[in-house]
Amino acid sequence: MTSHAESPSLFDCLKPCWLGLSTDNRRLFDVLQDGWLRPLRAGSGLLVGVGAYAREKDTVQIGRIPVRIKLNVAKLPDLEVAVFRRGEWMRSTLQQAGTSDMALLAWPGVLPTFAISELTVSTEEERARLIGLARHFSNIKIPEVPIVVRVGDDEVRMPAIAPPETVYKLAIPPDEDAIHGAMNMAFWAVPRIDPWLAVLTESLSSDRTRLPELADGVDASWWQFPPWVQFSSETKPADLQECLWLAAIKVFRAHPSGHRVRARELVSEITNAALRYDSSASDKTAAWLQSTHRILRAESTIEFDRWRSCPVGMAIQLVLTRPEPAAFKTWFKDRPDLPPAVAWSAAVLCGLYNGYKRLDTEFRGEPLQREVVAIRTLGACSETLRDIRWPGHVDDKPSWRKVDSDFVLSWDGIDFARKQVRERGQWYAANFEDMGIRREAGTVAKKLGWPCLTREITLTDARVPFSGWGDVSVYKRGNPKLIVRGKSHFQLPADAEVEEVVNIGSFRRLIATEFGRVPAPPAPQIPDKSDEPAGIPGLRYVLNFLSEGEEMEIMKEIDKGAWSEELQRRVQHYGWRYDYKARQVDPAMRLGPLPPWADSVARRLVERGLVPNLPDQVIVNEYVGNQGIAPHVDSKSSFEDGIAMVSLLESWEMVFRERRDKRKQNQKLERRSAAIINGEARYLWTHEIPRRKTEPSVESDRKKPSRVRRERKRRISLTFRKVIDDRES
Amino acid sequence: MRLPTWEELASVEEQLNVLECPLDQSLFVVGPPGSGKTVLAVRRAQMVAEAQPDVLVVTYNRMLRRLVALMIDGSIEAQTMQRFVWYDYYDRIGEWPPCDTRDSFAYIWPTMMARMKRGQIRPNRPHLVVDEGQDLPPEFFEYASRYVARTMTVFADEDQALKRECTTLEQIKQATGLDDPAMLSQNHRNTPEVSRLAEHFHSGRLPAAAVHRPTSGELPRLIWSENIKSTMTTISNWYQNTGGSIGIIIDRNNMGQALRDGLTHRLPGVRVDIYTHNQQNEDTINVLKDGITVVNKGSAKGLEFATVFIVELDQFVPCTNDMERRAMYMMCTRARDNLFLVYGPGDLTTMAVAALPGTDVLERP
């Protein structure tokens, strides 16, 4: 049997590798609703034909549509079966039996709808009627398989002899429908934000080691108890939310769909179940019970903005007010501001309460999802069923990844669902280095009242007097802080810049968790020139800004000039003298116009739109060997925005650091290139030349740092700046 | 339009038999209110239309025509009988149909038939679906079966006739040559809870249809409301909590207008419409879309909503005659899942209280 399993051979082509059942449209709809083809009598085997259709009933009732269902053997686990051949029943396995023709087979349990590979009816009218009928039902979808019109003669009759007793392996556990429903709703409604996909996939893996941590990360600790996992009665929920969650799971699971109980009774049952977990929470549960009753009596509405006081309680309220899946869905339309934790938890409870059977087809996903989730639901329900090997399904942890603007969900190596990233997901993954995105984040946070805004005061070269009885100290290590104990008053200079800034870390967490309708982030400011390296907004970088000849000419001029020895490295100043001690341009030290070589470079910078104002100050820095320059921001009070650095003789790396977030990025400054810092790169990032002996010699690639290094010799850097001249204004 | 799950209908033999009937066969179906006739008519038309174009659905009532048109989403033609015949005759013969001079739509059928016969007119459509057959004249069925379509599906309810001069089932059979009707007997619209309250007011010749739906656990409720504002608060809270479609049935149109204006203001972005028969504004209202529809008691027939508020209950109870009881019955049965009876600010009279069922059927404040 294994000898021909590798590749299709003539033998394979001859092999009737399908099972067949001849029945009617009503039975087909039962099967499509359930996801499983069940034996007519529970506990007995399912009799199907091999390479032929076993006829379930002798007569088809008038009006019903006779349907022949073909199932693909390759989709089924190789279980032990009984085969009826030459007048007797024999034991076999599915794969062995699959090679016989026109035989009957007793399958030990249910068959999955995802194995259906073809449907056959007798006339075109029947085909139209079958498709039309299916459309009448919210939870029925004819599988995307060929519907063949052919009069059948390939039916086998049921034998008079009953098949031998077989171990009934593939029995559907009673909880299966509820869990199947919950899992599908979980996939349908999962918040499309990275950390939530991590919670979803971890909750479905077998060990779930990271689940508590991931659930805490999205302020939904109750998700460490996924509804598809059976927890022992000793489970100790840590707070009211976890109590209510476990109680809701218990109660919704115990009420199989169909006959509904009065919503108010469900509320009481959930309250009682929660109190059994923790009797000390009686005040809080009573308050929830009261408010839920008021909602159900239309005396009040759900208080969405107060969701943090009882997120699970609110999720239950969402299910109770709109219990049917199609009605539940309207919550997403009516309240686009729902907090992700509440919306998702509610959707999963809704799936649990209704079960798979009652789910509209749109909640059931694509065919691959149906296959994966059907198999995994069985595994979640029972240990024995988990051990069954389904072809193509290795017990692998589900995973997610981002492809273009979609989240792709994968299980058993099968990409079974694709979900477009929405507003919150776009924000979560947005590039906050982009000034436009940062600004909009501030606007969104302010509008929604999210607690992630701080006031930042920027002082440049200032001394701040303070008074009051407070004790003021500065803590410099790690995250530096100004610490005030008691009350102090700071007399800030009038030109102190006060800016409301978003704490990006907090903002991203709120994006993943908080209530509020979030608009899409602005489109990133796409660099209009290819010379804008990603990662440092405001940095522009131009290769070959100077020709080799120009470099040679300029070097000649520089080497003729006089070097200042006041720093460790040698420098030359043109235009204005910069006072390194006062860290400002000395207004008295106007040196005069730039020399012709520097002037022509300065003009080129303006002409090519690289700097807004004609630079009038140039510093020539000479770096030899391991010389460098410490991280700094060029004096804000002395120089305008738009500073250009032109490199000569050698290619060295410059390191940029974002001052707030401590992000770091290297940028190689190629020989004869120009690097221009504007805006953020100028004011919010420091830049430095590390003190070291060597430089990476090949074009640096961030993903694959080159190990080949070359010894540094001499690099000349020309810095072009425009002095802020107070005397002019 | 809300579709049933297979589970809901799998055990409803009578509906499945209608749905499964071969599409090239004529079919005659009779059933009480709430038995699903209109939905079945729409389904049948849609299934036939899959294979054949030019299927037509004909109704009597304008609102029902609108409802059918919304359900079939413009893919199939839906017409009131009056309008259909008016244009059909003109297209075939080249002149407007002869009418009684006092009433422009009272067709003079014998003249028309003779004219069609002389012109040797043949059926030009594959299938005609008729809803509310009891309200159409027998001559229309003759006209339709001879000159419109050879295959016909007719839904009717003798007990629900709007006018005295309705068509009997026997007349329909004779005019069309249809077989004995398939009988629908179950109510699929209302929950047992809603139906029990409605039955309290039932006074038809035949008993009310047996309810098939499972219990919802929610009893209809009697609500005292201090003033129109508190009524609006209850309704807008209910809508915000449960969504779906809400029908508000009122007695006086000015009350309806006030509710409509107030709710429009309270629920921005939500559909809030008012429909009264004489306004003839049915084509501007999408009753299938979630939202709120205010109707007066004379215009509620044929409509259904997930939740119904009968406002101004004091105007409707106690019922003093069969007509008033029928009206109450009809209003209650508009509610699929939830029903509220609202009164106030004054107390109900002792007579009115006595006319209402006990607390096992109607929850009191």
Side-chain angles (χ1 to χ4, degrees):
Chain A
M1 171 209 133
T2 48
S3 60
H4 55 263
E6 257 85 336
S7 59
S9 62
L10 183 63
F11 192 77
D12 276 314
C13 299
L14 292 172
K15 187 174 87 179
C17 40
W18 55 276
L19 306 180
L21 188 74
S22 175
T23 179
D24 67 20
N25 59 300
R26 293 195 190 180
R27 175 89 155 119
L28 175 68
F29 290 173
D30 282 341
V31 171
L32 296 176
Q33 169 173 271
D34 268 20
W36 300 101
L37 174 59
R38 296 166 195 258
L40 283 179
R41 267 164 297 134
S44 71
L46 185 65
L47 292 181
V48 288
V50 185
Y53 298 97
R55 184 177 239 191
E56 266 196 334
K57 285 183 197 152
D58 283 343
T59 52
V60 173
Q61 289 189 22
I62 297 164
R64 302 221 190 146
I65 307 164
V67 180
R68 277 161 286 160
I69 305 172
K70 197 182 260 190
L71 299 121
N72 184 356
V73 166
K75 292 261 184 196
L76 304 173
D78 193 14
L79 299 180
E80 193 176 295
V81 297
V83 190
F84 190 72
R85 233 177 309 191
R86 288 186 285 278
E88 58 176 335
W89 286 99
M90 287 179 293
R91 288 191 185 282
S92 175
T93 66
L94 176 69
Q95 292 300 330
Q96 280 165 2
T99 60
S100 50
D101 200 0
M102 295 295 277
L104 257 177
L105 179 147
W107 175 256
V110 296
L111 284 167
T113 48
F114 63 74
I116 294 177
S117 59
E118 189 183 282
L119 298 171
T120 305
V121 290
S122 303
T123 65
E124 281 294 346
E125 190 273 341
E126 284 178 357
R127 187 171 179 273
R129 200 143 45 97
L130 184 70
I131 294 169
L133 273 171
R135 287 221 188 102
H136 187 77
F137 303 102
S138 63
N139 60 345
I140 298 294
K141 191 178 177 195
I142 301 275
E144 289 158 20
V145 296
I147 302 175
V148 179
V149 178
R150 184 161 45 83
V151 180
D153 53 357
D154 40 6
E155 289 185 356
V156 282
R157 296 231 153 225
M158 295 293 178
I161 317 160
E165 296 271 316
T166 43
V167 184
Y168 193 52
K169 271 202 108 163
L170 257 176
I172 298 292
D175 266 358
E176 188 267 353
D177 193 51
I179 290 177
H180 204 177
M183 263 197 211
N184 271 294
M185 285 302 273
F187 285 120
W188 180 79
V190 63
R192 300 170 184 192
I193 318 165
D194 301 26
W196 283 102
L197 286 143
V199 170
L200 169 65
T201 48
E202 185 70 13
S203 77
L204 292 160
S205 74
S206 45
D207 50 18
R208 299 187 305 280
T209 40
R210 293 185 57 224
L211 189 56
E213 171 206 336
L214 291 170
D216 271 344
V218 284
D219 300 344
S221 67
W222 62 90
W223 263 98
Q224 64 186 292
F225 306 113
W228 34 85
V229 179
Q230 292 276 9
F231 290 98
S232 73
S233 49
E234 273 108 75
T235 306
K236 285 272 170 282
D239 60 16
L240 176 67
Q241 301 314 308
E242 295 177 17
C243 283
L244 278 174
W245 178 246
L246 288 169
I249 291 173
K250 202 177 208 170
V251 171
F252 283 142
R253 225 193 231 185
H255 286 284
S257 53
H259 284 260
R260 295 212 177 277
V261 190
R262 212 182 170 111
R264 272 169 274 177
E265 279 158 27
L266 281 173
V267 176
S268 307
E269 278 185 48
I270 292 170
T271 311
N272 293 335
L275 285 174
R276 274 197 290 278
Y277 282 112
D278 179 6
S279 53
S280 68
S282 58
D283 285 358
K284 284 179 185 168
T285 35
W288 176 76
L289 182 117
Q290 286 288 320
S291 86
T292 310
H293 279 178
R294 283 177 55 79
I295 289 164
L296 292 173
R297 283 202 303 266
E299 287 166 13
S300 65
T301 53
I302 299 176
E303 295 175 287
F304 291 100
D305 46 353
R306 295 194 54 225
W307 73 277
R308 280 206 190 256
S309 67
C310 196
V312 174
M314 185 172 291
I316 299 168
Q317 290 167 349
L318 293 184
V319 179
L320 293 176
T321 44
R322 306 188 187 182
E324 289 187 1
F328 180 82
K329 190 187 154 189
T330 59
W331 275 126
F332 289 85
K333 185 171 64 72
D334 293 353
R335 302 298 313 212
D337 49 2
L338 283 179
V342 173
W344 193 44
S345 303
V348 173
L349 291 179
C350 177
L352 195 71
Y353 185 36
N354 285 285
Y356 183 77
K357 268 189 202 172
R358 291 171 62 94
L359 287 192
D360 295 9
T361 51
E362 67 170 308
F363 300 113
R364 300 179 175 206
E366 296 299 310
L368 279 173
Q369 176 176 328
R370 295 180 191 202
E371 176 170 340
V372 168
V373 178
I375 291 172
R376 291 303 161 202
T377 301
L378 288 186
C381 293
S382 105
E383 296 277 341
T384 359
L385 293 172
R386 195 176 305 153
D387 294 339
I388 292 177
R389 310 283 298 180
W390 294 81
H393 293 264
V394 283
D395 193 8
D396 191 9
K397 194 180 139 136
S399 65
W400 66 276
R401 64 183 195 280
K402 216 183 259 171
V403 177
D404 303 327
S405 54
D406 291 337
F407 286 112
V408 174
L409 285 153
S410 180
W411 208 343
D412 290 322
I414 299 165
D415 291 345
F416 67 89
R418 252 185 120 92
K419 312 225 156 240
Q420 206 187 353
V421 182
R422 302 235 180 93
E423 289 87 350
R424 285 177 186 254
Q426 289 168 6
W427 270 112
Y428 194 85
N431 173 16
F432 286 95
E433 287 156 8
D434 186 311
M435 207 57 186
I437 287 185
R438 261 185 129 93
R439 207 174 300 125
E440 182 66 13
T443 315
V444 168
K446 202 165 190 174
K447 195 174 150 219
L448 298 174
W450 286 1
C452 60
L453 293 170
T454 50
R455 296 233 167 134
E456 188 178 84
I457 301 168
T458 308
L459 301 176
T460 313
D461 302 330
R463 286 162 180 276
V464 179
F466 63 94
S467 56
W469 51 271
D471 176 24
V472 179
S473 58
V474 175
Y475 178 78
K476 281 187 174 163
R477 274 170 294 171
N479 296 320
K481 302 173 181 62
L482 175 73
I483 300 165
V484 181
R485 289 194 186 83
K487 199 171 192 174
S488 291
H489 311 280
F490 294 82
Q491 284 81 48
L492 300 175
D495 66 347
E497 295 167 33
V498 183
E499 204 190 346
E500 204 150 49
V501 292
V502 192
N503 180 314
I504 301 306
S506 313
F507 182 76
R508 290 177 83 221
R509 191 181 170 105
L510 290 163
I511 274 289
T513 58
E514 193 47 84
F515 165 80
R517 181 167 198 177
V518 180
Q525 291 174 352
I526 299 156
D528 48 347
K529 303 246 161 60
S530 56
D531 58 9
E532 198 161 330
I536 309 170
L539 169 68
R540 293 183 69 181
Y541 177 64
V542 184
L543 279 169
N544 297 315
F545 181 70
L546 299 177
S547 69
E548 285 182 26
E550 286 170 325
E551 180 190 35
M552 224 159 63
E553 289 301 319
I554 291 169
M555 274 316 298
K556 263 189 217 160
E557 295 298 322
I558 287 171
D559 280 335
K560 273 193 262 170
W563 291 99
S564 155
E565 310 273 357
E566 64 172 312
L567 301 177
Q568 279 192 333
R569 60 174 190 276
R570 298 200 298 168
V571 294
Q572 296 180 6
H573 291 203
Y574 296 102
W576 296 77
R577 220 186 92 74
Y578 184 73
D579 184 346
Y580 288 101
K581 286 205 186 101
R583 303 181 67 182
Q584 61 186 345
V585 169
D586 182 353
M589 294 298 283
R590 175 88 165 102
L591 299 170
L594 296 179
W597 65 265
D599 190 55
S600 73
V601 175
R603 287 185 187 283
R604 185 180 301 174
L605 286 165
V606 177
E607 279 158 21
R608 290 177 61 170
L610 297 169
V611 296
N613 307 306
L614 181 68
D616 57 3
Q617 201 248 5
V618 172
I619 291 184
V620 180
N621 281 290
E622 183 194 43
Y623 296 93
V624 181
N626 72 345
Q627 284 181 338
I629 183 166
H632 66 283
V633 171
D634 289 36
S635 168
K636 293 176 186 177
S637 55
S638 294
F639 303 109
E640 303 272 17
D641 196 4
I643 295 170
M645 295 168 284
V646 178
S647 302
L648 303 176
L649 300 180
E650 275 182 36
S651 306
W652 291 17
E653 259 180 7
M654 178 165 265
V655 177
F656 288 86
R657 294 178 200 271
E658 214 279 356
R659 290 201 292 171
R660 265 186 294 244
D661 294 359
K662 306 234 162 28
R663 267 171 297 145
K664 176 187 156 189
Q665 192 163 322
N666 297 346
Q667 173 66 46
K668 181 142 193 173
L669 303 181
E670 288 284 342
R671 184 177 179 179
R672 299 194 313 280
S673 72
I676 301 94
I677 48 175
N678 278 294
E680 261 199 86
R682 151 96 174 87
Y683 294 110
L684 302 178
W685 295 67
T686 62
H687 53 276
E688 74 206 64
I689 299 287
R691 292 172 59 87
R692 61 190 184 203
K693 288 183 180 156
T694 57
E695 284 295 319
S697 71
V698 207
E699 182 79 1
S700 75
D701 179 346
R702 264 177 298 160
K703 282 176 202 149
K704 219 171 49 187
S706 163
R707 297 216 175 90
V708 191
R709 301 187 75 93
R710 204 189 33 173
E711 208 167 308
R712 283 175 169 186
K713 288 198 176 73
R714 184 187 186 213
R715 168 178 175 264
I716 297 293
S717 162
L718 313 176
T719 307
F720 289 80
R721 302 186 281 204
K722 168 79 176 82
V723 170
I724 300 173
D725 191 352
D726 294 331
R727 291 171 306 178
E728 281 171 15
S729 60
Chain B
M1 157 174 139
R2 186 189 161 275
L3 292 177
T5 62
W6 168 245
E7 191 185 36
E8 282 171 73
L9 277 202
S11 59
V12 188
E13 198 64 30
E14 57 181 39
Q15 283 213 9
L16 286 182
N17 287 340
V18 170
L19 280 170
E20 286 171 346
C21 178
L23 302 171
D24 46 10
Q25 284 179 19
S26 284
L27 179 65
F28 188 16
V29 184
V30 172
S35 58
K37 293 187 299 295
T38 300
V39 174
L40 288 170
V42 165
R43 284 296 152 190
R44 185 135 178 104
Q46 283 178 319
M47 283 164 68
V48 173
E50 287 282 319
Q52 297 162 309
D54 297 330
V55 176
L56 173 72
V57 183
V58 166
T59 67
Y60 170 74
N61 174 310
R62 296 163 48 105
M63 191 62 189
L64 191 69
R65 185 212 68 80
R66 167 67 174 160
L67 200 62
V68 167
L70 286 169
M71 285 196 236
I72 56 188
D73 201 18
S75 58
I76 299 166
E77 199 182 338
Q79 297 273 14
T80 60
M81 183 277 286
Q82 302 285 24
R83 198 181 151 84
F84 165 70
V85 170
W86 185 256
Y87 288 102
D88 185 66
Y89 186 85
Y90 182 84
D91 287 347
R92 308 288 198 86
I93 301 296
E95 27 181 275
W96 298 113
C99 293
D100 190 317
T101 44
R102 285 158 300 162
D103 180 350
S104 60
F105 271 145
Y107 295 123
I108 303 169
W109 293 100
T111 318
M112 291 162 64
M113 299 286 201
R115 196 65 220 288
M116 295 289 269
K117 193 174 179 183
R118 238 182 306 136
Q120 295 190 324
I121 305 296
R122 301 255 168 272
N124 60 351
R125 289 175 189 265
H127 205 121
L128 174 69
V129 179
V130 177
D131 195 12
E132 297 180 305
Q134 75 281 357
D135 289 325
L136 304 178
E139 295 89 343
F140 167 73
F141 289 98
E142 217 177 309
Y143 177 94
S145 61
R146 278 196 208 156
Y147 305 118
V148 181
R150 287 224 166 82
T151 315
M152 281 174 74
T153 301
V154 179
F155 293 84
D157 175 13
E158 217 172 346
D159 203 35
Q160 208 189 354
L162 285 178
K163 307 172 294 178
R164 295 224 172 274
E165 63 274 24
C166 71
T167 304
T168 63
L169 307 183
E170 200 50 46
Q171 284 173 311
I172 296 175
K173 269 174 66 181
Q174 271 177 13
T176 56
L178 287 166
D179 286 340
D180 280 343
M183 305 296 280
L184 301 175
S185 63
Q186 293 168 334
N187 170 357
H188 295 278
R189 180 190 292 144
N190 314 116
T191 62
E193 288 89 344
V194 167
S195 180
R196 268 166 72 208
L197 177 64
E199 275 169 40
H200 184 79
F201 302 100
H202 183 72
S203 69
R205 278 178 291 153
L206 302 171
V211 181
H212 180 79
R213 288 186 57 187
T215 56
S216 69
E218 304 297 331
L219 285 184
R221 262 170 49 206
L222 185 64
I223 294 180
W224 175 78
S225 180
E226 194 179 357
N227 50 38
I228 185 170
K229 271 190 180 159
S230 65
T231 304
M232 286 192 290
T233 304
T234 305
I235 295 172
S236 89
N237 283 351
W238 182 265
Y239 182 81
Q240 288 178 67
N241 289 340
T242 62
S245 66
I246 292 182
I248 303 175
I249 305 179
I250 41 99
D251 182 47
R252 297 164 300 160
N253 285 347
N254 59 348
M255 173 61 139
Q257 199 62 48
L259 283 170
R260 193 204 85 95
D261 294 347
L263 288 166
T264 307
H265 179 70
R266 279 162 188 249
L267 295 167
V270 175
R271 178 185 74 79
V272 184
D273 287 310
I274 185 160
Y275 173 68
T276 57
H277 184 67
N278 13 356
Q279 277 189 0
Q280 303 207 342
N281 62 334
E282 73 273 5
D283 279 346
T284 64
I285 300 177
N286 186 343
V287 277
L288 295 184
K289 199 177 156 224
D290 285 356
I292 298 174
T293 312
V294 184
V295 290
N296 64 16
K297 68 174 177 192
S299 312
K301 192 176 175 291
L303 296 174
E304 62 171 64
F305 306 94
T307 301
V308 166
F309 288 84
I310 299 178
V311 180
E312 303 186 296
L313 182 69
D314 354 26
Q315 306 293 318
F316 301 123
V317 288
C319 306
T320 52
N321 56 43
D322 272 3
M323 219 175 76
E324 284 180 13
R325 265 187 285 278
R326 262 204 299 274
M328 251 325 261
Y329 174 76
M330 183 274 289
M331 289 190 276
C332 291
T333 50
R334 297 310 98 201
R336 281 200 301 266
D337 305 323
N338 294 91
L339 177 58
F340 297 90
L341 308 182
V342 186
Y343 72 96
D347 286 340
L348 287 175
T349 61
T350 329
M351 293 274 279
V353 174
L356 294 171
T359 47
D360 56 330
V361 175
L362 179 67
E363 197 182 307
R364 310 291 175 103

